[in-house]
Amino acid sequence: MAARNVAMREAIRRALREEMQRDENVFVMGEEVAYWQGTHRVTRGFLEEFGERRVRDTPISEMAIGGVAVGAAMAGLRPVAEFMTINFAFLALDAIANHAAKVRYFFDGMFKVPLVYRAASGWGNQATASHSHAPEPIFAHFPGLYVGCPSNSLDAYGMLKASIRDDNPVLFTESIALYPKPSPMPDDLDEDSLIPIGKGDIKREGSDVTLVAYARGVDWALQAARNLARDGVDAEVVDLRWLRPLDMALVYDSFKKTNRCVIVEESLPMYSFGGEIAALLQENMFDYMDAPIKRVAAEDVPLPYSKEIELLALPNAQKVVDAVKEIL
Amino acid sequence: MGSPDKNMLLDWYRQMVLIREFEETCHRLYEEKRITGVYLHLYSGHEASGVGSMAALRKTDHVITAYRDHGIALILGMDPKAVMAEMMGKKTGSSGGKGGSMHLASKDHNFWGGYAIVGGHLPLAAGIALEARYNGKDDVTMTYVGDGATNNGYFHESLNMSAIWDLPVIWIIENNGYGMGTEVERASGQTELYRKAEAYGIKSFGRVDAQNALEVYAVASKAVEYARENGPAVIEHVTYRYRGHGVSDKQYDAREDMSAELKEWMATREPIKILRDCIEEMHGDVSEMLARHEADAKRIVAESVKFAESSELPSSRQELLRNTYVPSELVHKTAQSIGAGID
């Protein structure tokens, strides 16, 4: 099948644009999404195509962005609300965790909340401590919300479409490092090519060790797998794609084959994605376990400005390779 | 809207005595541990605020409030049985026992709920109003917010957003003098609370004596008319709570100065008495009608208690987990999926 390389930002823009064309109730709101064309240029051209009614600049008011989306969704619209970066979504944590995620439950199913929060996420580029977070696991803590974190363009396209069409609230994070990154998308891609919510993907097959990752962690895992292959180690890379729901069937099937696992994430190490996956593996796969589960995450420190120590704090492919070698 | 006719006033009286009877019964049931939990915020003393303002709405308009929500639910016509059952966490409760006192709602009545985080419902109100604007409808969203919430970020962000987007919200600040135990004067640099909304360019209808349902109605009617055509409006309702912040906060009630203050309000600004006097002044002796409404209120509330107490508690794991998510074909689920909810 013919394919061409597309940057993840372009894939997200295409998905969002098609969903807005498809459903009049879908609209975008957020800081700088309209006249500025989107801080990350995801909504470039949207104002011109869809107008001010459906492409709504907001003031710098994250609490209101978070909560207005909930009310609009309850009332029947399908908001796609953008947090310029996920760092600012902390200001909206009450709207997200206490309202978007819980309204359906505490009224026992009376309302639906079909919204998507989009947020750019990730570390790096000397953005300094308060602008350097990959806190997806914090949001995945809350029942009632789904959390999607794509690692490439095709996944981002299908995952965002499913998120918009689903009747539940979804936090959709977009790794800033992956925005410009090209990856193949088929030329004849169907507009209804959805990726089911909660469905993971094997990004590389292997038999010696399972690398479990999501979003940018998948890049490090794939790079590590290529490096390990030179030493004769055959790593399988499981991209969970969604932190909630978690496709543990995929992880278990891989682990039954490899009996070893390294978990890779961009986020912080304490109370983390890695901790969750490791706990589930030891609870459910104890008989298949041939070595300790290892975790590669960011260092347990706020991120500094200065380049060299910033890079020291981040995970990378070499750290994944080192972790694998410890358990072989 | 013109001035309220006799039937309308009598109906307000019916609503107000129903609320009072309901709330005082809730208070008694809580004392007797027949209603449990820690949160029960009563509308006694506030009746004219809700009754007078909601009388200015039409059926397709929207209403949303915070956690002092029983009175709002009853005014909108929710079944007192379902409301009382919710107080007791029963299956037959309006939220199936999942929400309790602070989370009443009814889609059928365009009542978008009571909410428990101070200010948390304010952006939701703006979002509900946005839907009306988005789809070219002229329905308004009447939003009740306490004095305490005017000090938190949600208030300022939501009011500002409503102003720049011309959202048809009537922001009703129910100023009962206290945010939990803190006087407005100690909590807010600006004690004329409607002025905070004016700062965002919101059309202000000023302060109203919210113990007088007729005055409330007169101002609310103008604000609703304005919001329908233009955009957000604000009204400050000066009122008083008879049963403290909530039933579990008795220490505030016990303060001597507050008890004297309460007696003063009850003696001079009792909303049900004020309405009764107005009706009698305008329409002569209606005591028979009023007595009938009082008796009905007692009967209806007693029946609601009976219904609630004879209803079942939810008790299964299925009931615990249900409605975390909307069942969806777009969700991939296996026996090993974690965090997907149950259908």
Side-chain angles (χ1 to χ4, degrees):
Chain A
M1 195 193 307
R4 70 183 180 94
N5 278 329
V6 176
M8 194 172 86
R9 153 185 8 259
E10 312 289 334
I12 293 169
R13 181 189 304 134
R14 180 171 157 190
L16 187 51
R17 182 165 172 259
E18 287 173 3
E19 291 309 297
M20 287 182 72
Q21 289 167 340
R22 179 179 176 272
D23 184 348
E24 175 82 11
N25 283 326
V26 178
F27 71 100
V28 300
M29 57 181 280
E31 294 156 12
E32 312 294 359
V33 297
Y35 284 86
W36 190 268
Q37 309 286 317
T39 305
H40 303 284
R41 295 295 182 263
V42 168
T43 53
R44 193 177 65 202
F46 277 39
L47 178 64
E48 193 183 1
E49 178 170 357
F50 299 107
E52 282 186 330
R53 172 169 162 264
R54 298 181 67 198
V55 186
R56 308 184 74 95
D57 275 332
T58 67
I60 303 170
S61 302
E62 283 80 10
M63 295 172 82
I65 294 169
V68 166
V70 176
M74 289 169 73
L77 299 179
R78 304 186 84 84
V80 178
E82 176 176 317
F83 294 111
M84 188 185 292
T85 78
I86 201 160
N87 312 291
F88 313 149
F90 290 155
L91 286 157
L93 190 58
D94 176 69
I96 298 168
N98 260 333
H99 292 89
K102 292 182 185 165
V103 158
R104 179 170 182 78
Y105 187 81
F106 60 53
F107 296 125
D108 200 25
M110 202 180 299
F111 303 106
K112 294 190 289 193
V113 189
L115 65 78
V116 178
Y117 294 121
R118 291 181 43 247
S121 176
W123 291 46
N125 289 328
Q126 296 184 276
T128 66
S130 61
H131 281 62
S132 297
H133 287 286
E136 289 85 350
I138 290 176
F139 297 92
H141 185 63
F142 302 105
L145 190 69
Y146 291 136
V147 178
C149 316
S151 68
N152 67 34
S153 299
L154 188 57
D155 285 0
Y157 177 85
M159 289 169 68
L160 180 56
K161 288 198 158 214
S163 300
I164 292 170
R165 293 191 198 182
D166 191 71
D167 280 339
N168 292 288
V170 179
L171 177 79
F172 190 83
T173 69
E174 300 161 10
S175 172
I176 294 171
L178 298 179
Y179 270 140
K181 196 186 161 207
S183 57
M185 283 178 75
D187 287 341
D188 58 348
L189 190 61
D190 187 322
E191 286 196 12
D192 295 322
S193 306
L194 310 188
I195 290 175
I197 291 170
K199 188 169 176 28
D201 186 36
I202 304 292
K203 286 291 191 287
R204 182 189 195 277
E205 289 193 8
S207 54
D208 296 332
V209 61
T210 298
L211 306 179
V212 179
Y214 66 93
R216 199 179 171 193
V218 175
D219 268 13
W220 294 319
L222 286 169
Q223 179 66 43
R226 285 191 289 273
N227 296 348
L228 286 162
R230 285 184 219 123
D231 297 332
V233 178
D234 190 16
E236 178 146 302
V237 177
V238 177
D239 177 2
L240 276 171
R241 300 199 286 209
W242 304 88
L243 298 198
R244 185 183 267 273
L246 265 181
D247 189 358
M248 288 310 291
L250 201 62
V251 179
Y252 296 152
D253 285 347
S254 178
F255 192 72
K256 282 179 187 169
K257 186 168 64 174
T258 65
N259 314 110
R260 287 174 169 77
C261 181
V262 173
I263 302 149
V264 186
E265 63 180 314
E266 191 177 5
S267 193
L268 291 163
M270 288 189 76
Y271 314 104
S272 64
F273 171 74
E276 186 66 39
I277 302 296
L280 288 164
L281 281 172
Q282 70 84 18
E283 277 174 11
N284 297 290
M285 294 285 117
F286 192 71
D287 291 343
Y288 294 92
M289 197 177 291
D290 283 353
I293 310 294
K294 300 295 285 185
R295 296 180 288 158
V296 175
E299 288 280 354
D300 189 27
V301 67
L303 207 64
Y305 168 71
S306 189
K307 193 74 194 165
E308 287 197 20
I309 52 173
E310 182 196 43
L311 288 174
L312 272 184
L314 286 165
N316 57 40
Q318 187 57 48
K319 290 184 184 179
V320 179
V321 169
D322 293 345
V324 168
K325 288 185 172 170
E326 282 181 47
I327 57 167
L328 281 177
Chain B
M1 289 189 202
S3 46
D5 64 17
K6 184 177 170 185
N7 284 338
M8 202 167 170
L9 293 174
L10 288 170
D11 194 56
W12 293 0
Y13 191 85
R14 178 190 66 75
Q15 294 174 32
M16 285 167 67
V17 294
L18 175 63
I19 294 169
R20 183 66 60 84
E21 178 65 21
F22 190 92
E23 296 295 62
E24 294 305 305
T25 301
C26 282
H27 187 261
R28 180 169 54 80
L29 294 173
Y30 188 84
E31 297 286 300
E32 295 169 3
K33 300 196 177 351
R34 291 158 73 190
I35 291 176
T36 53
V38 289
Y39 296 118
L40 192 71
H41 310 86
L42 303 176
Y43 209 60
S44 296
H46 276 239
E47 291 90 346
S49 168
V51 169
S53 52
M54 268 187 271
L57 297 179
R58 62 186 191 201
K59 283 263 181 261
T60 52
D61 290 330
H62 307 286
V63 177
I64 188 167
T65 188
Y67 41 79
R68 202 177 296 283
D69 59 348
H70 312 170
I72 307 292
L74 295 174
I75 295 165
L76 283 168
M78 277 180 71
D79 183 353
K81 287 180 177 155
V83 178
M84 188 59 84
E86 191 59 32
M87 302 298 149
M88 298 188 187
K90 297 297 179 78
K91 280 187 188 187
T92 52
S94 52
S95 296
K98 295 274 184 68
S101 159
M102 303 193 290
H103 294 308
L104 304 172
S106 170
K107 213 172 185 174
D108 295 340
H109 297 86
N110 278 352
F111 179 34
W112 297 86
Y115 292 84
I117 298 291
V118 172
H121 65 299
L122 302 182
L124 274 61
I128 292 160
L130 173 61
E131 189 276 334
R133 270 281 174 273
Y134 191 92
N135 286 321
K137 299 183 269 194
D138 67 350
D139 303 322
V140 301
T141 302
M142 189 159 271
T143 306
Y144 296 88
V145 47
D147 49 85
T150 69
N151 301 312
N152 102 3
Y154 271 132
F155 179 85
H156 297 272
E157 294 194 8
S158 303
L159 267 71
N160 183 53
M161 197 93 92
S162 76
I164 58 170
W165 287 356
D166 300 323
L167 301 177
V169 184
I170 299 102
W171 302 105
I172 294 188
I173 303 169
E174 291 189 297
N175 179 356
N176 62 21
Y178 299 88
M180 277 193 81
T182 306
E183 296 88 338
V184 167
E185 293 72 23
R186 290 198 297 127
S188 183
Q190 171 57 269
T191 55
E192 294 178 314
L193 301 178
Y194 65 94
R195 294 201 184 280
K196 296 185 182 184
E198 286 181 342
Y200 296 109
I202 289 172
K203 171 75 174 172
S204 169
F205 290 83
R207 260 189 180 170
V208 180
D209 171 8
Q211 303 311 87
N212 184 326
L214 281 95
E215 288 187 26
V216 170
Y217 174 74
V219 176
S221 298
K222 286 183 209 156
V224 167
E225 195 180 344
Y226 175 86
R228 220 182 276 300
E229 299 299 318
N230 304 285
V234 66
I235 313 169
E236 181 177 345
H237 283 185
V238 178
T239 184
Y240 202 77
R241 58 188 201 197
Y242 284 4
R243 290 291 184 185
H245 169 68
V247 289
S248 57
D249 307 299
K250 292 214 166 298
Q251 67 271 27
Y252 307 121
D253 280 352
R255 270 166 48 183
E256 212 166 274
D257 53 334
M258 286 187 72
S259 150
E261 187 180 85
L262 174 60
K263 281 187 189 132
E264 173 76 15
W265 276 81
M266 292 177 84
T268 62
R269 302 176 72 179
E270 159 54 42
I272 297 175
K273 181 174 185 304
I274 289 172
L275 178 63
R276 183 186 188 113
D277 291 349
C278 286
I279 300 174
E280 283 175 347
E281 195 183 327
M282 294 160 80
H283 302 289
D285 183 12
V286 287
S287 54
E288 202 178 311
M289 305 281 281
L290 302 187
R292 195 188 310 154
H293 285 321
E294 288 160 19
D296 282 351
K298 283 201 177 357
R299 178 182 51 77
I300 289 165
V301 173
E303 283 169 5
S304 78
V305 175
K306 198 173 167 195
F307 171 83
E309 292 199 315
S310 62
S311 293
E312 279 180 49
L313 288 166
S315 55
S316 69
R317 185 170 157 77
Q318 199 270 341
E319 284 164 319
L320 165 70
L321 299 179
R322 189 184 58 206
N323 285 324
T324 306
Y325 292 94
V326 183
S328 169
E329 287 177 4
L330 299 178
V331 175
H332 171 76
K333 233 191 281 189
T334 71
Q336 286 85 33
S337 290
I338 308 289
I342 63 160
D343 293 346

